[in-house]
Amino acid sequence: MAGLTEVSAPVGVFDSGVGGLSVLREIRRELPGVVYLYVADQAHVPYGPRPLAEVRAFSEEIVRYLLTRGARLIVVACNAASAGALHHLREVFPAVPFVGMEPAVKPAAESTRSGKVGVLATPATFQGALFASVVERFANGVELFTHTCPGLVAQIEEGNLEGPKARAILEGALHPMLAEGIDTVVLGCTHYPFVIPLIQQIVGPGVRVIDPAPAVARQVRRVLAEAAPDVVAAASAGNSAPVRLVTSGDPVRFSEVVPLLLGEPWPAGQVRWTAAGRLEDARV
Ligand code: DGL
């Protein structure tokens, strides 16, 4: 499996688990010819309930790993890691361009008519200074209703996108918001776009659900075109490159869940955390 990471990958993407694949899917639509290396830190999923300092330490080491694999741009495809680590990562790796996630409060505030918007994210994202700053800059008098959807990330990690548990969690989060009159829902966790059909069923067609991934993918294209124009030029000439996935969890299980999420099989390799807190390829 170590072969999966042997070829250098100019764009590195990471998340606590499968969530960032909702972002990678859009990036790949935008730039299909680029080689991506995706790290799922499933040894530590979920990140959401963890202290931000811990999420920061994991993120820093994952970035270090991706840089040794040739990354010239890194996508923090995780709201919790963006909230906990993005600022820190830019300080520690000043020469590396990063694209991170932030809850899409801005487009929601611009388009809501009722002036009431629901935001679904994990506790880490709501705790971070990033969310506070997004609200301060963009909420503009719009009333926000937040919910952390405990247990939803675990359901999605298992590929349970429509089951009774996922439905119960989402109904518990969304029904009170609907009663308040929200007309927009912002997905502030990259796992949640995989349950958009279920969310849309619960909220009905009159409520807009915002997945930030397409906007993030366009941002990746802009930043990559500036930071590594040769990569974009080479990618435009070629066909879809294979995606390289690695997990710090169980690669067999990961490979089973990926087709449930993306509709296509992408084989996964394995990385492991050492006792010293380093991330390295697992020799199998
Ligand atoms: N997908 C992640 C996010 O966007 C993390 C979810 C988790 O691990 O709790 O926040």
Side-chain angles (χ1 to χ4, degrees):
M1 287 293 184
L4 278 171
T5 57
E6 271 159 17
V7 174
S8 127
V11 177
V13 183
F14 75 94
D15 179 45
S16 60
V18 299
L21 295 174
S22 71
V23 182
L24 180 53
R25 168 174 69 183
E26 294 299 329
I27 298 171
R28 204 157 170 262
R29 229 166 247 163
E30 193 73 34
L31 290 164
V34 172
V35 178
Y36 301 96
L37 175 58
Y38 180 94
V39 175
D41 188 14
Q42 291 178 307
H44 296 132
V45 69
Y47 276 5
R50 292 178 184 273
L52 292 180
E54 199 178 13
V55 172
R56 194 172 304 140
F58 298 151
S59 302
E60 184 177 331
E61 182 54 24
I62 294 169
V63 167
R64 214 160 254 136
Y65 171 84
L66 288 168
L67 293 175
T68 65
R69 297 300 178 277
R72 293 168 64 188
L73 174 132
I74 290 183
V75 184
V76 185
C78 173
N79 290 76
S82 298
L86 196 52
H87 184 73
H88 173 77
L89 293 173
R90 288 186 168 130
E91 269 177 14
V92 177
F93 305 101
V96 179
F98 288 94
V99 175
M101 307 295 302
E102 63 180 29
V105 169
K106 184 172 188 242
E110 283 166 0
S111 68
T112 176
R113 288 202 222 141
S114 68
K116 296 179 183 200
V117 168
V119 185
L120 307 182
T122 68
T125 296
F126 289 130
Q127 268 171 48
L130 187 62
F131 184 65
S133 119
V134 164
V135 172
E136 194 187 301
R137 281 179 294 147
F138 304 124
N140 287 331
V142 164
E143 210 177 336
L144 299 179
F145 299 87
T146 61
H147 202 287
T148 59
C149 300
L152 187 56
V153 164
Q155 290 300 310
I156 296 166
E157 283 290 309
E158 288 299 315
N160 296 335
L161 308 183
E162 292 174 336
K165 281 200 191 142
R167 177 178 286 275
I169 295 166
L170 282 167
E171 284 179 350
L174 293 165
H175 281 162
M177 297 181 180
L178 290 168
E180 294 284 353
I182 59 156
D183 65 356
T184 310
V185 176
V186 170
L187 303 183
C189 169
T190 56
H191 280 72
Y192 298 169
F194 290 119
V195 288
I196 286 177
L198 183 53
I199 294 175
Q200 203 74 65
Q201 259 178 43
I202 295 168
V203 297
V207 172
R208 178 174 176 220
V209 180
I210 302 185
D211 170 7
V216 170
R218 290 192 294 275
Q219 175 71 357
V220 168
R221 175 188 267 285
R222 281 192 290 272
V223 175
L224 194 64
E226 198 151 304
D230 52 315
V231 172
V232 175
S236 311
N239 294 323
S240 281
V243 174
R244 291 154 209 286
L245 307 178
V246 292
T247 176
S248 58
D250 176 358
V252 174
R253 185 69 198 125
F254 189 45
S255 304
E256 281 165 8
V257 172
V258 168
L260 302 176
L261 303 173
L262 299 175
E264 54 179 320
W266 293 351
Q270 191 167 22
V271 286
R272 67 179 183 103
W273 290 97
T274 66
R278 303 253 87 138
L279 191 64
E280 58 180 33
D281 286 323
R283 303 281 158 218
V284 285

